[in-house]
Each structure stands twice: as C-alpha cells, then as structure tokens.
Amino acid sequence: MELDEIKELMGLLKETDITEVQIEKEGIKLKIKRERRFGHVEMPHSVVTATKAEAAQPAVEDKAPALHYTTVTAPIVGTFYLSPAPDASPFVEVGSRVKKGQILCIIEAMKLMNEIESDVDGIVAKILVESSNPVQYGQPIFLVEPV
Amino acid sequence: MVDSKHSVDILSLLKKRTSFVSGAEIATTLGITRAAVWKRISRLRKEGYSIEALPAKGYRLAGVPEFSVKEALSSLGQLKTFSADNILFYPALASTNATAVEIAGTGCPDGTVVVADAQSAGRGRMARIWNSPPGVNIYMSIVLRPAIAVRDAAVLTLLTGVACAKALHHCSGTEISLKWPNDLLIGNRKVGGILTELRADPDRIQFAVIGIGINVNYHKEHMPRDISEIATSLAHESRMRFSRTEVFATVILQMDKWLNIFENHGKKPVLDEWLTLSSTIGKKVTISTHRGTLHGLAEALDDEGFLLVRVDDGSLQHIHTGDVTYV
C-alpha cells in the first residue's frame, strides 16, 4: 500500500461520518481513527439539543445550527409583517446588523400592531416566516446572531 | 402638574360665582400669590377660557372653550384609570399616537391621554392617512399599562370599540355599530377608527397606546372625496353640532368603565357586549389582506376575539387581521 493510497483513504474518510477504519491487506494492518471535531463551545449545546429534540422535534440537524443564535418568538397570535406598509422597505433583512431594542417586524392582531424588538445587539441570521403570513403564539420568527 | 391643578382650582372657584371674584380672594383661598393667580388666568385664556378682568373687582368666567379636556374631566368626578392631571392637550401634533408612544417610553403613568385639536400626520392601519383637520374632530391616544398576559392584549381593541360605540350612541342618540374588529359605523359609513400600538417584553406588556379618531363636527363637504364616500360624522348624521368636550368626556367615562369590567371579569363580558353592538356577525363578508381576498360568511368570534369566517369551500377560518367589507 502506497502512501498516496493511504492519503486518499484519509481524504475520503473526511467527507463521511465514519470515524474509524481498519484494513488488513498483504500483511499490513492499517487503522485510521478520526476524532469528531466538536468545538468546546458547541459540544455541550449539541447534547442539550439532542435531549430537547427527542421530546418534540425529530429534526435534530435543523435545530443544531440555531443554538448559538437568539431565537425571537411571536408573543401573540397574528399576522407577521416585515415592513410597516405594503410598499415600504423592510425593517430588516438577513445580514442586517441590529441593535438591542431595534424593531424587527410587526405582528398584527385585530388592528393591534405589536412592534417586535431585538433583545440583543447582533446580526439577523434567518427570517423564519414570510411576510403577511399568520404566526402562532410562541412560534420562532427570527434567528439573531449576537455580536 | 401642580400648576395645572391650581388652574383647575381657579376654574372651580370662578364657576361657583356668577359675579366677579377678587384676585386677593383667589390668592388667599388657594394659598398662592396674586402674581401666580394672574399667570394661571393667562394660561386658562390661552386654553380658550374667556375670563373678564376688571380693576378693583377681579375676575369673572364669561365662557368655556368649545373643546376642553379640563372641562371634560371636571364633569366626571373620580375615575379609576383616568385623572385630569394625566390628560395632555395640544393644539396640533404630527400624530397623537406617535407622541403617546414617545412619552410612554419615558415612563408616563397608566391612563395618560394625549389629545390634539389637529394632526398633521394622523395615521391609520398600514400607514394610511387619517384626515385630521382642526376645530371639528377628536384625535386622542390612551396609554395603558395593563397587568394582563401579552397574548390577551388584542382584546383591548375590541374593548375600545365597545366603549366608543356606547359613548357615541349616548351623545348622539344615533345607532352606532362595530365592524370587526373595531371600526365605528353609522349605517355603512365610518364615523371613527381605532389603531393600537403595543410594546411588550415576552412576558409583560410595557404599554399599549390606543389611538382613537372620531369625526364629530366634520362637514361632509370638507372631507376629501375618497373619504366622504366611506366616512361620515356625528354632526352630518344628526344634523346638529356636538360639543367635543362632552363627546370626549363620555368616551373617557366609558373607557374607564370597560377597563374596569375587563380587569374584574375578564374577556367574556367584553366579547359579549361587542357581539350585541356588532353588525359583522351573520353578514357575507370580503376580507382583504396582503395575501389576497377571502369571501365567506362571518359566523362568530372565537375566545380570543378573532373572526370566524365560513369560506366557500365549507371550512372555518380564524381571521386575525384584514379589511372587512360587507358584501
């Protein structure tokens, strides 16, 4: 077995979830073992998600990246608007830098306009609802990455 | 607010007499200097009170302003939520809601009311313009800090509709109906509108600002054409002029009453009263939203006050928001 072959094998392994491979061939016994590269910060988060996710949500992978974000949820049932009027520009977009207290959107219920503010300084990472759509109480509407 | 309290005291003193009251007597009774008396008399004149002054005789009240929030509150006695000290009147504002949101943010008390004779940027839902000429209508915004769950806040809009419909009916004798959620109608035309702004933490309401616009003596011929087709005024319907002071006082009185009912008995009496005042239930309606138009039969309210509409495919939809038109 050439060195190139071993290198190639290692490369292929990186693209998979496999962490350990053993090969016995022509008297050579090769064992490649890869440590899962979780950062110190992310590791405990993942553990927490897994337990939470088991209870209600099967989509563990979808939730995992959200963990270092702040999730903004809808405090009331209503209609979600990204702009103050149909022809106005949106309060924020993905990538917008927002300050704590800055308005992210409006949720309207029966002509009560609830202006939702960011509770952190950060960057809008994801808008989870399309404008003019209904939202339920407690539904996640934004992911904001604190800075 | 000590100053305005003294102005109220001077007024009640002058109102008790039909003849002149000397400056010295006013000063002694209120425990202030004669210069202070003069200052407050000047302020009252600026607010539209007509006060005669004669050397050696003193002061006499000769007339009250056409629209005075002070007069309104003094006629009501002790209220639970509102007091004369917390009613702020302005000759003109951009928007009473904008000013109310601003002062609410700096911590004004529950029950503060911002009133203006005219607005230069009065607004309705979705940044629409609310026509606000001077001298004829009522434009007011109420700051509330209710100790209710954030998710129950929307009931305040139905409550305000109920209180205003009751008040306008009481003042004019005209039948006022509510179009969901809280348009004030005479017949099929709008006599008043309500727009509420809410600021809340996840678990607590910081404040709600309830903006109310009422067309009182607004002449139909003075309305812009697109408005006059869909709007009306108390005066137009009743063929007489109304006292804005009295209408304002009655709205405040009814708001105080219904807020108290809501606090002590919850949503149900509010929703029940809304149903008796509404013209929406049982009607064929069109609801336009940003997403499109929906047709159906308005069947009922759910426990939250949302409109239940039976649409053409037979399903029942909970409507949170949208412009309702009667078909």
Side-chain angles (χ1 to χ4, degrees), chain A residues 124-135:
Chain A
V124 176
K126 204 163 185 186
I127 301 171
L128 302 166
V129 182
E130 247 180 83
S131 200
S132 305
N133 276 0
V135 289

Side-chain angles (χ1 to χ4, degrees), chain B residues 253-298:
Chain B
L253 187 67
Q254 288 291 331
M255 280 301 291
D256 200 74
K257 177 184 162 184
W258 283 96
L259 285 168
N260 200 20
I261 291 172
F262 183 39
E263 192 183 322
N264 292 317
H265 305 286
K267 284 183 225 177
K268 194 163 183 303
V270 176
L271 297 184
D272 287 349
E273 194 61 35
W274 188 93
L275 287 169
T276 69
L277 292 167
S278 168
S279 52
T280 306
I281 304 304
K283 280 229 171 65
K284 284 241 176 209
V285 292
T286 298
I287 294 155
S288 29
T289 68
H290 292 189
R291 285 203 299 172
T293 311
L294 194 135
H295 305 278
L297 179 72

Side-chain angles (χ1 to χ4, degrees), chain A residues 36-106:
Chain A
R36 264 201 187 273
R37 291 285 237 158
F38 284 120
H40 285 298
V41 185
E42 284 192 37
M43 186 62 181
H45 279 159
S46 297
V47 173
V48 173
T49 325
T51 22
K52 253 195 203 163
E54 271 166 16
Q57 284 155 321
V60 180
E61 284 83 3
D62 281 358
K63 291 292 277 184
L67 283 166
H68 57 279
Y69 298 135
T70 298
T71 306
V72 181
T73 57
I76 60 169
V77 175
T79 306
F80 173 88
Y81 297 112
L82 266 172
S83 60
D87 50 354
S89 49
F91 293 109
V92 293
E93 290 165 310
V94 170
S96 295
R97 194 168 265 273
V98 292
K99 291 214 169 301
K100 187 181 173 185
Q102 188 174 331
I103 293 164
L104 300 173
C105 67
I106 290 176

Side-chain angles (χ1 to χ4, degrees), chain B residues 53-276:
Chain B
L54 282 181
K57 281 189 137 182
Y59 303 101
R60 190 183 81 87
L61 183 64
V64 297
E66 184 269 323
F67 183 27
S68 162
V69 297
K70 210 170 272 175
E71 285 295 311
L73 266 288
S74 72
S75 70
L76 294 179
Q78 190 70 33
L79 298 176
K80 208 168 167 300
T81 304
F82 304 99
S83 81
D85 287 350
N86 295 332
I87 313 273
L88 312 171
F89 180 82
Y90 300 84
L93 285 176
S95 142
T96 58
N97 258 32
T99 299
V101 165
E102 201 180 307
I103 63 168
T106 62
C108 74
D110 177 50
T112 298
V113 185
V114 174
V115 191
D117 183 49
Q119 296 182 111
S120 56
R123 53 192 150 111
R125 190 170 163 264
M126 291 294 134
R128 287 175 202 147
I129 292 164
W130 185 266
N131 264 278
S132 311
V136 285
N137 297 333
I138 294 172
Y139 319 110
M140 58 189 281
S141 294
I142 300 171
V143 180
L144 294 177
R145 302 182 187 279
I148 55 171
V150 180
R151 56 191 304 180
D152 290 337
V155 175
L156 289 172
T157 71
L158 299 183
L159 182 153
T160 306
V162 165
C164 288
K166 290 257 177 201
L168 298 190
H169 173 69
H170 182 266
C171 290
S172 69
T174 313
E175 192 175 325
I176 311 283
S177 74
L178 289 167
K179 189 180 75 173
W180 188 88
N182 56 14
D183 278 356
L184 296 154
L185 301 186
I186 298 177
N188 228 344
R189 293 202 162 89
K190 194 160 161 173
V191 70
I194 297 158
L195 182 75
T196 304
E197 295 181 49
L198 181 79
R199 293 291 164 84
D201 301 327
D203 55 343
R204 189 185 64 98
I205 293 174
Q206 292 173 28
F207 60 81
V209 165
I210 304 174
I212 304 168
I214 299 166
N215 293 340
V216 182
N217 295 318
Y218 202 175
H219 207 292
K220 267 263 195 185
E221 285 162 23
H222 297 160
M223 293 180 190
R225 189 172 298 165
D226 57 327
I227 300 294
S228 78
E229 285 166 12
I230 52 168
T232 189
S233 69
L234 287 182
H236 179 83
E237 297 293 332
S238 303
R239 305 266 181 270
M240 64 174 278
R241 284 184 69 80
F242 288 90
S243 154
R244 284 190 288 165
T245 302
E246 191 199 329
V247 175
F248 176 77
T250 316
V251 168
I252 290 291
L253 187 67
Q254 288 291 331
M255 280 301 291
D256 200 74
K257 177 184 162 184
W258 283 96
L259 285 168
N260 200 20
I261 291 172
F262 183 39
E263 192 183 322
N264 292 317
H265 305 286
K267 284 183 225 177
K268 194 163 183 303
V270 176
L271 297 184
D272 287 349
E273 194 61 35
W274 188 93
L275 287 169
T276 69

Side-chain angles (χ1 to χ4, degrees), chain A residues 11-68:
Chain A
L12 281 171
L13 211 57
K14 256 190 199 168
E15 290 162 20
T16 72
D17 283 339
I18 300 162
T19 54
E20 205 176 316
V21 162
Q22 270 190 63
I23 296 169
E24 280 191 63
K25 192 181 161 193
E26 297 154 14
I28 298 171
K29 192 171 167 183
L30 177 71
K31 184 174 171 182
I32 304 172
K33 197 174 171 183
R34 190 162 62 96
E35 296 266 322
R36 264 201 187 273
R37 291 285 237 158
F38 284 120
H40 285 298
V41 185
E42 284 192 37
M43 186 62 181
H45 279 159
S46 297
V47 173
V48 173
T49 325
T51 22
K52 253 195 203 163
E54 271 166 16
Q57 284 155 321
V60 180
E61 284 83 3
D62 281 358
K63 291 292 277 184
L67 283 166
H68 57 279

